């Protein structure tokens, strides 16, 4: 049984079908590619993107038709954002060429806009919110490095919260839910909860991705915490050694405290909204993240112990032998 509310397989399939129909209505030629892309981004992998409108709707008393419509907007937007990620990282999604990815991204964006227009029409407050979230996301995409001071001891909460802009489009459906329910006064709490959650998720993602990011020359927050060297290819080996030293021999708790602090703040804000589904998800993520962090430290220190053992097992010259 899930630790937070999730859709049944029937509801998930119906929402996927609504996305497929929305994309086909805009571009029949791209519907199959968009359908395959969305099938790769399931509710198990992307729980907040799938469930946030429903979680909010339960508290805001929004009808099913509305939260389903908001979820479709979310999922089409998720496909659009993920394709942009692939294009920025020069990777491929489902074997698509970069040109095909760009065209499909545009179709997903237009389909999401069409769905939002059906829900919000000429509601200026929604479109102002949407514009602000998209502007923040695009600004985050354009940043060459990380919005963080060096050394890591100088990191401020405001700097870390800027990492949340990488997930700013998630707030669009949240704003829509609050506005459609006539509860605009709750939107600041929702935004703050999502900012802290998104910040924690970026910090956790960068723990998973630090080796690949180093290899690809991408900025990584864990690397920045462990090393004040520039994150350039010429420093890749030195930065790698510093991260490994932090995990194997040093005290990585400072980084983890940032994760815990943001998850705790997100959970408290979710309860204040109140949004029980979101609060339960955040609590589950905090538990999972703690276990994953302990495994990471254990694996790193096990790697060190293995390396030392192999070194001791190697034959060494006796005293007086020529080295």
């Amino acid at each position: 049984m899930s630790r937070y509310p999730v859709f049944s397989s029937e509801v998930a399939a119906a929402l996927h079908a609504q996305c497929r129909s929305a994309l086909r209505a805009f571009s029949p030629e791209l519907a199959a590619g968009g359908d395959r892309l969305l099938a790769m981004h399931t509710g198990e992998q992307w729980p907040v993107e799938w469930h946030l409108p429903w979680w909010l709707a339960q508290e805001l008393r929004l009808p099913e038709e509305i939260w389903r419509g908001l979820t479709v907007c979310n999922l089409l937007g998720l496909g659009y954002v993920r394709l942009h990620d692939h294009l920025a990282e020069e990777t491929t999604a489902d074997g698509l060429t970069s040109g095909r990815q760009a065209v499909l991204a545009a179709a997903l964006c237009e389909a999401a806009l069409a769905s939002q227009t059906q829900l919000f029409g000429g509601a200026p407050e929604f479109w102002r919110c949407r514009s602000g979230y998209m502007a923040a996301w695009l600004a985050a995409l354009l940043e060459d490095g990380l919005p963080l001071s060096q050394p890591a001891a100088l990191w401020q909460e405001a700097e870390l919260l800027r990492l949340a802009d990488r997930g700013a489009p998630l707030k669009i459906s949240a704003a829509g839910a609050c506005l459609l329910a006539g509860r605009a006064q709750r939107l600041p709490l929702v935004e703050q909860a999502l900012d802290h959650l998104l910040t924690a998720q970026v910090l956790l993602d960068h723990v998973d991705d630090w080796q690949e990011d180093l290899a690809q020359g991408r900025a990584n927050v864990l690397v920045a915490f462990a090393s004040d060297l520039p994150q350039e290819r010429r420093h890749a080996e030195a930065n790698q050694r510093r991260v490994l030293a932090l995990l194997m021999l040093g005290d990585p708790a400072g980084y983890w405290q940032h994760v815990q602090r943001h998850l705790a703040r997100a959970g408290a804000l979710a309860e204040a909204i109140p949004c029980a589904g979101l609060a339960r998800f955040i609590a589950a993520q905090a538990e999972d993240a703690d276990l994953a962090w302990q495994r990471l430290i254990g694996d790193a220190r096990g790697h060190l112990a293995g390396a030392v053992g192999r070194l001791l097992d190697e034959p060494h010259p006796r005293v007086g032998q020529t080295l």
Side-chain angles (χ1 to χ4, degrees):
M1 182 176 178
S2 177
R3 291 167 292 169
Y4 50 87
V6 296
F7 294 134
S8 67
S9 57
E10 293 79 12
V11 172
L15 289 166
H16 191 161
Q18 282 184 255
C19 292
R20 186 186 306 121
S21 297
L23 189 55
R24 186 181 294 117
F26 179 76
S27 175
E29 299 81 6
L30 293 168
D35 190 46
R36 288 193 300 272
L37 178 71
L38 293 173
M40 295 164 58
H41 296 81
T42 64
E44 292 78 11
Q45 296 170 301
W46 300 86
V48 182
E49 287 77 3
W50 272 81
H51 298 100
L52 180 61
W54 177 48
W55 291 339
L56 287 169
Q58 290 180 310
E59 307 296 339
L60 298 173
R61 303 292 188 267
L62 284 172
E64 181 174 342
E65 179 184 0
I66 296 298
W67 65 253
R68 283 180 179 267
L70 289 170
T71 304
V72 168
C73 295
N74 244 21
L75 298 180
L76 293 170
L78 171 62
Y80 168 68
V81 168
R82 291 296 292 141
L83 283 174
H84 262 280
D85 289 343
H86 285 295
L87 289 167
E89 296 170 4
E90 298 181 347
T91 56
T92 60
D94 194 33
L96 297 170
T97 65
S98 58
R100 190 76 172 176
Q101 286 184 99
V103 173
L104 179 54
L108 286 161
C109 181
E110 290 300 317
L113 274 172
S115 297
Q116 289 164 358
T117 300
Q118 289 179 354
L119 286 168
F120 299 101
E125 185 59 28
F126 170 79
W127 297 107
R128 278 196 294 271
C129 289
R130 183 190 184 280
S131 178
Y133 303 145
M134 293 301 290
W137 175 64
L138 291 171
L141 290 182
L142 289 172
E143 286 183 332
D144 292 328
L146 296 167
L148 300 171
S149 304
Q150 282 294 350
L154 299 178
W155 287 1
Q156 302 294 315
E157 180 173 283
E159 292 177 302
L160 286 165
L161 283 171
R162 285 183 59 195
L163 297 173
D165 289 343
R166 299 170 180 224
L170 179 62
K171 301 178 193 175
I172 295 173
S173 65
C178 292
L179 294 172
L180 287 173
R183 304 288 183 84
Q185 71 276 13
R186 296 201 188 180
L187 182 54
L189 279 178
V190 176
E191 290 176 326
Q192 292 171 45
L194 292 177
D195 279 339
H196 285 283
L197 173 59
L198 289 165
T199 297
Q201 289 182 328
V202 171
L203 293 171
L204 289 168
D205 286 345
H206 282 222
V207 171
D208 292 334
D209 298 342
W210 75 269
Q211 295 187 76
E212 182 181 348
D213 287 344
L214 265 183
Q216 298 297 324
R218 295 192 292 263
N220 181 280
V221 185
L222 179 62
V223 175
F225 183 84
S227 174
D228 56 3
L229 291 173
Q231 293 193 38
E232 301 169 358
R233 291 187 186 276
R234 62 194 176 100
H235 295 299
E237 289 187 11
N239 282 329
Q240 182 183 44
R241 288 194 298 270
R242 293 189 182 192
V243 175
L244 289 172
L246 176 76
L247 295 176
M248 295 177 183
L249 302 171
D251 179 13
Y255 187 92
W256 184 236
Q257 285 168 2
H258 286 299
V259 176
Q260 291 176 311
R261 187 178 304 115
H262 285 286
L263 284 175
R265 185 67 178 136
L269 287 162
E271 291 178 359
I273 293 169
C275 183
L278 181 59
R280 287 173 59 186
F281 168 76
I282 294 167
Q285 180 155 75
E287 292 175 3
D288 293 344
D290 189 44
L291 291 173
W293 183 259
Q294 295 304 321
R295 283 196 301 270
L296 176 69
I297 300 301
D299 290 347
R301 291 176 179 169
H303 176 77
L304 175 63
V308 172
R310 289 190 296 274
L311 180 63
L312 293 175
D313 288 341
E314 292 178 1
H316 295 283
R318 297 178 182 176
V319 176
Q321 275 188 309
T322 301
L323 299 178

